[in-house]
């Protein structure tokens, strides 16, 4: 729906509905999104690369792949996020960090994943405070070297290759190439 490249931005009081691919995609930008709903995203709801992003009061419903995805040295800081349904709730890859204070995940297939997709970057980190996770098939897939921290408790990665489980293999949506 919307791809922002090398820009500063603010989006508020909006709805992204029934996108065929990623609903919001940001590359090498910096911005904020407030009071926004994402419904039926055909791929990712929020997908960023090389971006600094602040999210507050976001609702994401029925995403075909990832609800929040950070890659290529991105940093996403979030407050009050609600995710219902969909494949993968929160993803951090390739030297990215996702911090969330106030998260509700209901009915997603996978709650959290952190991994290295592009070795030139490195592992991903997810830091969560004040989360409620219900009716999720798998709590987390964390690759060796990556890290998930929930309310101060570290969950270090133990899986050698998380990517082989994603992208439509067991979780998520197959990538179109």
């Amino acid at each position: 729906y919307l791809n922002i490249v090398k820009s500063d931005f603010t989006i508020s009081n909006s709805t992204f509905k029934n996108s065929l691919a990623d609903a919001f995609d940001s590359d090498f930008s910096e911005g904020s999104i407030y009071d926004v709903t994402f419904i039926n995203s055909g791929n990712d709801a929020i997908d960023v690369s090389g971006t600094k992003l602040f999210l507050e009061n976001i609702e994401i419903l029925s995403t075909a792949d990832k609800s929040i995805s950070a890659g290529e040295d991105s940093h996403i800081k979030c407050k009050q996020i609600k995710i219902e349904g969909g494949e993968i709730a929160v993803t951090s890859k390739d030297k990215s960090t996702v911090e969330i204070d106030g998260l509700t995940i209901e009915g997603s297939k996978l709650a959290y994943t952190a991994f290295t997709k592009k070795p030139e970057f490195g592992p991903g980190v997810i830091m969560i405070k004040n989360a409620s996770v219900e009716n999720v098939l798998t709590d987390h897939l964390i690759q060796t070297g990556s890290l998930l921290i929930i309310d101060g408790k570290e969950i270090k990665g133990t899986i050698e290759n998380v990517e082989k489980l994603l992208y439509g293999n067991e979780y998520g949506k197959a990538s179109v190439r």
Side-chain angles (χ1 to χ4, degrees), residues 9-16 32-37 56-58:
F9 63 89
T10 300
I11 300 169
S12 63
N13 302 306
S14 301
T15 299
F16 291 74
S32 301
I33 302 176
Y34 300 91
D35 304 316
V36 173
T37 301
E56 186 169 9
N57 195 28
I58 304 297

Side-chain angles (χ1 to χ4, degrees), residues 115-116 142-145 157-165:
F115 63 101
T116 301
I142 308 300
Q143 186 168 303
T144 304
T158 58
I159 301 170
E160 288 301 318
N161 186 352
V162 166
E163 186 178 4
K164 74 178 180 182
L165 302 171

Side-chain angles (χ1 to χ4, degrees), residues 4-174:
I4 294 176
V5 180
K6 296 181 182 176
S7 300
D8 293 335
F9 63 89
T10 300
I11 300 169
S12 63
N13 302 306
S14 301
T15 299
F16 291 74
K17 187 173 182 181
N18 299 326
S19 63
L20 298 177
D22 292 345
F24 175 78
D25 192 321
S26 172
D27 300 301
F28 313 106
S29 298
E30 186 168 340
S32 301
I33 302 176
Y34 300 91
D35 304 316
V36 173
T37 301
F38 296 85
I39 303 168
N40 296 324
S41 299
N43 198 46
D44 298 340
I46 299 169
D47 182 19
V48 301
S49 297
T51 293
K52 289 183 178 21
L53 177 62
F54 179 76
L55 302 171
E56 186 169 9
N57 195 28
I58 304 297
E59 185 173 30
I60 302 171
L61 311 171
S62 300
T63 300
D65 197 14
K66 297 175 284 298
S67 292
I68 297 174
S69 180
E72 297 182 11
D73 199 18
S74 290
H75 190 132
I76 302 177
K77 192 165 186 169
C78 314
K79 290 183 179 180
Q80 299 311 116
I81 306 295
K82 180 180 179 182
I83 298 170
E84 286 185 14
E87 282 285 317
I88 303 167
V90 180
T91 301
S92 180
K93 62 186 180 294
D94 299 334
K95 199 180 170 189
S96 294
T97 301
V98 177
E99 298 178 61
I100 305 176
D101 186 356
L103 172 65
T104 300
I105 300 173
E106 170 72 35
S108 294
K109 193 170 179 184
L110 171 61
Y112 310 111
T113 186
F115 63 101
T116 301
K117 183 176 181 182
K118 297 177 181 176
E120 62 269 27
F121 286 98
V125 175
I126 300 172
M127 296 182 284
I128 305 293
K129 292 191 300 186
N130 304 310
S132 168
V133 177
E134 294 185 20
N135 300 319
V136 171
L137 180 65
T138 303
D139 286 335
H140 56 78
L141 294 175
I142 308 300
Q143 186 168 303
T144 304
S146 291
L147 182 62
L148 170 63
I149 302 170
I150 300 175
D151 292 322
K153 180 183 175 194
E154 289 189 5
I155 300 169
K156 294 182 179 178
T158 58
I159 301 170
E160 288 301 318
N161 186 352
V162 166
E163 186 178 4
K164 74 178 180 182
L165 302 171
L166 306 178
Y167 301 103
N169 294 315
E170 288 187 42
Y171 303 91
K173 182 178 175 182

